[in-house]
């Protein structure tokens, strides 16, 4: 049985998790993905142009099959066959994987953008809820009264907020007091608000303390 020291001598290959995660998004088969991993492993071992035979030895494929898959990857614009000069000026070939990583970068960027859009959409909805207390109050009155409000009743709630400048939380407290008294009309809620105003109660906490004492 091989020891860990023996395994260490073989070395380790750094593999991009994005390739493992998104190869199917690139419409690559498992065999094509494995071949790309082998090319990356050879590259990290400073063999930039492994032969079909070398690749075949690492996979359950013949050199002919390896050659065909490489051509397919080139046709799909996943890899390129490049050329460069070595230190002695001789032209050498190499497999260029930059196209692959550029495509993976694009997928990641698109996913990040989609996540940002979803976050912004959620934030917008939450913000609308925060800045539109009128609709929230209308909804709460309709639930407590067990019916839809008339346009005039909606205007009265709007007047409490925009003309009288009542805190929406104070209006909710007045509604709660009306429901506890089993009086389901706007005049009663308005009288509660006016009474609190006469007592100089201008915050929800002041009103809660006042209600606890009385």
């Amino acid at each position: 049985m091989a020891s860990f020291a023996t395994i260490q001598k073989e070395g380790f290959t750094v593999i991009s998790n994005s390739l493992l995660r998104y190869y199917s998004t690139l419409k690559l088969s498992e065999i094509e993905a494995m071949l790309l991993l082998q090319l990356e492993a050879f590259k990290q071992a400073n063999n930039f142009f492994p032969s079909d035979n070398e690749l075949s030895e690492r996979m359950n494929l013949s050199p002919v099959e390896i050659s065909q898959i490489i051509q397919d990857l080139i046709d799909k614009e996943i890899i390129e066959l490049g050329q460069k000069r070595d230190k002695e000026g001789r032209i050498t070939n190499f497999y260029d994987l930059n196209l692959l990583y550029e495509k993976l970068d694009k997928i990641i960027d698109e996913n990040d953008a989609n996540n940002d859009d979803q976050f912004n959409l959620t934030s917008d909805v939450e913000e609308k809820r925060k800045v539109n207390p009128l609709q929230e109050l209308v909804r709460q009155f309709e639930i407590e009264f067990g019916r839809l409000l008339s346009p005039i009743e909606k205007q009265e709630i709007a007047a409490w907020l925009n003309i009288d400048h009542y805190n929406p939380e104070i209006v909710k407290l007045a509604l709660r007091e009306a429901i506890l008294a089993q009086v389901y009309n706007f005049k009663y809620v308005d009288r509660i608000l006016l009474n609190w105003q006469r007592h100089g109660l201008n915050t929800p906490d002041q009103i809660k303390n006042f209600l606890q004492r009385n």
Side-chain angles (χ1 to χ4, degrees):
M1 184 182 210
S3 65
F4 181 70
T6 304
I7 295 174
Q8 273 189 312
K9 289 180 181 179
E10 289 290 324
F12 297 91
T13 300
V14 179
I15 297 171
S16 170
N17 285 330
S18 60
L19 174 56
L20 298 175
R21 182 174 181 180
Y22 297 117
Y23 75 87
S24 59
T25 304
L26 293 174
K27 302 189 184 309
L28 297 174
S29 67
E30 281 76 9
I31 293 176
E32 289 172 326
M34 177 54 70
L35 182 54
L36 289 169
L37 293 177
Q38 295 293 350
L39 290 176
E40 180 62 47
F42 274 109
K43 177 183 175 183
Q44 292 181 28
N46 293 320
N47 184 347
F48 301 99
F49 191 62
S51 67
D52 295 341
N53 286 328
E54 288 175 315
L55 290 166
S56 175
E57 290 174 359
R58 294 191 177 187
M59 301 180 65
N60 294 323
L61 297 170
S62 68
V64 174
E65 290 172 320
I66 293 291
S67 178
Q68 182 58 56
I69 295 172
I70 287 177
Q71 186 59 52
D72 291 342
L73 291 172
I74 292 174
D75 292 341
K76 291 180 179 180
E77 297 183 343
I78 300 296
I79 63 174
E80 287 183 305
L81 184 60
Q83 289 186 329
K84 63 180 179 180
R85 292 186 180 275
D86 60 19
K87 295 179 180 179
E88 298 177 359
R90 294 175 300 187
I91 295 177
T92 59
N93 296 325
F94 67 94
Y95 289 118
D96 189 345
L97 305 181
N98 285 334
L99 284 177
L100 167 65
Y101 292 115
E102 287 173 4
K103 291 179 184 294
L104 291 172
D105 284 343
K106 184 177 180 182
I107 291 173
I108 293 171
D109 288 343
E110 289 174 352
N111 286 343
D112 288 344
N114 290 336
N115 290 336
D116 288 342
D117 290 342
Q118 184 62 38
F119 173 78
N120 291 335
L121 178 61
T122 302
S123 299
D124 289 343
V125 172
E126 292 176 351
E127 190 63 27
K128 286 179 182 178
R129 288 175 181 168
K130 292 178 183 177
V131 300
N132 197 352
L134 174 59
Q135 288 186 2
E136 186 178 353
L137 283 171
V138 168
R139 176 63 177 160
Q140 190 156 355
F141 269 81
E142 289 178 339
I143 291 173
E144 297 294 350
F145 283 13
R147 61 176 175 81
L148 296 177
L149 300 186
S150 68
I152 293 177
E153 290 171 329
K154 292 179 181 178
Q155 289 175 8
E156 188 159 359
I157 296 176
W160 287 336
L161 299 177
N162 301 323
I163 297 176
D164 299 321
H165 301 293
Y166 288 127
N167 185 314
E169 294 302 315
I170 291 178
V171 178
K172 291 179 184 179
L173 289 172
L175 172 61
R176 187 185 70 175
E177 290 301 301
I179 298 305
L180 290 174
Q182 297 186 340
V183 181
Y184 300 89
N185 65 64
F186 274 72
K187 289 183 180 179
Y188 189 79
V189 175
D190 191 52
R191 284 201 299 270
I192 293 173
L193 291 169
L194 287 172
N195 182 53
W196 289 343
Q197 190 176 50
R198 291 193 196 100
H199 283 81
L201 305 174
N202 300 313
T203 69
D205 287 339
Q206 289 175 338
I207 292 170
K208 289 176 182 177
N209 291 332
F210 174 79
L211 293 173
Q212 288 176 353
R213 293 195 303 268
N214 295 278

